[in-house]
Amino acid sequence: MTKGRPVDVLKKGRHALLLIALILLSACNSETVESQKKVANEPVSAPDFELVSLQGETIRLSALRGKVVVLNFWATWCPPCREEVPSMQQLHQVMADSEFVMLAVNIEQDGRETVPVFLEKNPVDFTILFDEAGKVRKAYGVAKYPETFIIDPQGRIVEKVIGGINWSQPRVVEFMRRLLPQTSD
């Protein structure tokens, strides 16, 4: 075994820290809106689930049939997740008078402790859910954060977005409005 000079040891340590940081950052991806893609040629049924909200209310996806649902998987440690929260709040407010629901599923095991601290600086009034066990995340095949599924009123996934985007963009708002159930006057 050869001994390295102190400078070599420091360089190796820095390289190891850089590698660890890259691995952690690759877990939360910050792709653009161009990363949107169809889940399949035909929409697929969204897996049903039941999770508890920040307020202690049990939310079941199937109970939201008839509404457009934005299902976002996120974590407080993920920079693109944190960055898109204000635009999610804006979209939620713009769509407030329609059959639209914003669900943000926190995937952290300690989310019940970290989310309230995050919300002190970033208040929202859309629904935050907790998936500490990761069952819903796994059912949706979520691998990067944020990852978002757009679910139509029939309960089908019609769009999947990987990475953070500006949810308040006019084209995103228009897309959501086109999905809304048509009412007959």
Side-chain angles (χ1 to χ4, degrees), residues 102-150:
M102 175 77 68
L103 299 176
V105 179
N106 182 273
I107 53 84
E108 298 168 81
Q109 289 182 351
D110 63 346
R112 292 182 196 274
E113 290 81 40
T114 60
V115 169
V117 173
F118 172 79
L119 292 176
E120 285 176 15
K121 294 179 183 171
N122 306 281
V124 299
D125 61 358
F126 55 80
T127 304
I128 306 271
L129 302 171
F130 296 102
D131 186 27
E132 298 102 331
K135 290 180 182 178
V136 178
R137 176 183 56 82
K138 289 175 187 166
Y140 280 80
V142 174
K144 296 182 179 182
Y145 304 103
E147 196 160 322
T148 306
F149 298 84
I150 312 300

Side-chain angles (χ1 to χ4, degrees), residues 9-23:
V9 172
L10 285 175
K11 285 182 182 176
K12 288 179 185 176
R14 280 191 215 135
H15 290 297
L17 288 174
L18 180 61
L19 180 61
I20 291 169
L22 287 173
I23 290 169

Side-chain angles (χ1 to χ4, degrees), residues 162-174:
I162 299 174
I165 68 168
N166 178 352
W167 290 98
S168 61
Q169 296 177 71
R171 67 182 179 161
V172 173
V173 173
E174 181 57 33

Side-chain angles (χ1 to χ4, degrees), residues 26-29 31 73 78 81 141-148 161-163:
S26 69
C28 67
N29 194 10
E31 297 175 22
F73 291 85
C78 168
C81 300
V142 174
K144 296 182 179 182
Y145 304 103
E147 196 160 322
T148 306
V161 180
I162 299 174

Side-chain angles (χ1 to χ4, degrees), residues 8 14 30 45 47 58 60 71 78 85 101 109 115 128 148 175:
D8 292 337
R14 280 191 215 135
S30 81
S45 291
T58 299
R60 185 173 190 90
L71 180 63
C78 168
V85 166
V101 178
Q109 289 182 351
V115 169
I128 306 271
T148 306
F175 177 78

